Amino acid sequence: MTSVQGTAVDIPTEDGVADAYLAHPGDGVPRSAVLLFQDAFGLRPQLRSMADRLAEAGYTVLVPNVFYRHGRAPVFELPEFIDPGARPEIFEKIGPVMQALTPELAMRDAGAYLRWLADRPEATDGPVALTGYCMGARLSLLTAGTYPDRVAAAAGFHGGRMATDAPDSPHLVAGRVTAELYFGHADGDPSLPPEQIERLATALTEAGVRHRYEVYDGAPHGFTQADTASYHREGDERHWAALLDLLKRTF
């Protein structure tokens, strides 16, 4: 097992300073970089653990607090085990913060994260990979389309609202994507109904984007997050296999 070094870092942006977590192998050798986009609950021990696992596999991983405009992580007071069904007030606090992060703001920030990674000695020169969860899956696709020359691969898991009727829907960037994409959709996810899955797949196919998607049977929205009531071990293990396979193919 590769030893991992994890560090809290600050990233200058056009609107302030984003706190983040950086994980990388501890041998001092530059590695291909992965930008990991959070779910709605934000930067917390679970996401740091996921970054560490990617670092153990040989990558340099950055997990920014995309809600930094509302404070340093943890932005929300969360229990060790998150069960929104038992505590609906959690989303009453998270909802407005999510809505305030418009695609324009998020992509301005993504540019700052990518520039920061390009200057880090822990990361190799060249394009990076992206992976995102829940709302982070949207950010992953948007970033791949906004910064095509900087992204070699992008993945998204249990993403919601990926292909809506909104004028800023993520699927509309398909024509600018040059990266290879992979999506692992949650089964029966109300935030990504079958018509949106089909609309996203059609947009990517028509744009000639190398992509693959799978619907994980029995896996609910949020299935990768072990500190939540939505965790689905089989779906999570499938996610890790798919993500690492994508990284190996593209780096």
Side-chain angles (χ1 to χ4, degrees):
M1 181 178 295
T2 303
S3 65
V4 169
Q5 182 176 340
T7 312
V9 297
D10 286 338
I11 302 172
T13 75
E14 293 184 36
D15 299 319
V17 177
D19 52 307
Y21 179 71
L22 181 71
H24 56 89
D27 56 10
V29 178
R31 304 301 179 100
S32 299
V34 179
L35 177 56
L36 191 158
F37 285 117
Q38 65 178 59
D39 63 355
F41 299 124
L43 179 55
R44 60 194 193 281
Q46 165 64 20
L47 293 189
R48 294 185 183 94
S49 175
M50 294 174 74
D52 288 348
R53 181 164 175 176
L54 281 172
E56 288 177 358
Y59 302 96
T60 290
V61 188
L62 179 67
V63 191
N65 167 23
V66 304
F67 294 150
Y68 71 89
R69 291 177 180 83
H70 301 268
R72 298 180 71 86
V75 176
F76 312 107
E77 183 178 349
L78 298 170
E80 289 187 14
F81 183 76
I82 305 168
D83 184 355
R87 295 186 58 182
E89 71 275 9
I90 291 176
F91 273 112
E92 292 177 6
K93 297 177 181 178
I94 294 175
V97 175
M98 289 179 61
Q99 292 170 11
L101 185 65
T102 64
E104 180 183 4
L105 290 177
M107 290 305 96
R108 197 156 74 204
D109 292 342
Y113 307 148
L114 292 170
R115 288 190 296 272
W116 188 87
L117 275 170
D119 291 335
R120 295 297 297 193
E122 300 90 349
T124 57
D125 293 334
V128 308
L130 315 172
T131 185
Y133 303 86
C134 181
M135 59 169 280
R138 296 198 302 273
L139 298 181
S140 183
L141 177 55
L142 285 169
T143 302
T146 305
Y147 301 97
D149 60 329
R150 291 288 291 123
V151 180
F157 299 90
H158 48 81
R161 299 183 57 79
M162 298 288 290
T164 70
D165 294 325
D168 57 2
S169 176
H171 79 288
L172 297 177
V173 305
R176 302 197 297 272
V177 173
T178 59
E180 180 176 347
L181 306 183
Y182 175 86
F183 295 103
H185 302 311
D187 185 26
D189 188 345
S191 69
L192 194 73
E195 57 268 25
Q196 284 197 40
I197 293 176
E198 182 62 28
R199 183 181 295 162
L200 174 59
T202 298
L204 295 173
T205 298
E206 291 180 348
V209 178
R210 293 167 296 156
H211 73 281
R212 179 186 176 200
Y213 80 87
E214 298 177 292
V215 177
Y216 291 16
D217 293 340
H221 181 81
F223 61 80
T224 62
Q225 302 303 302
D227 62 345
T228 75
S230 299
Y231 183 65
H232 185 269
R233 182 178 298 277
E234 181 180 346
D236 184 35
E237 291 176 352
R238 186 175 174 183
H239 133 260
W240 280 112
L243 176 58
L244 291 172
D245 179 62
L246 176 67
L247 297 178
K248 290 175 182 177
R249 285 202 313 276
T250 51
F251 278 140

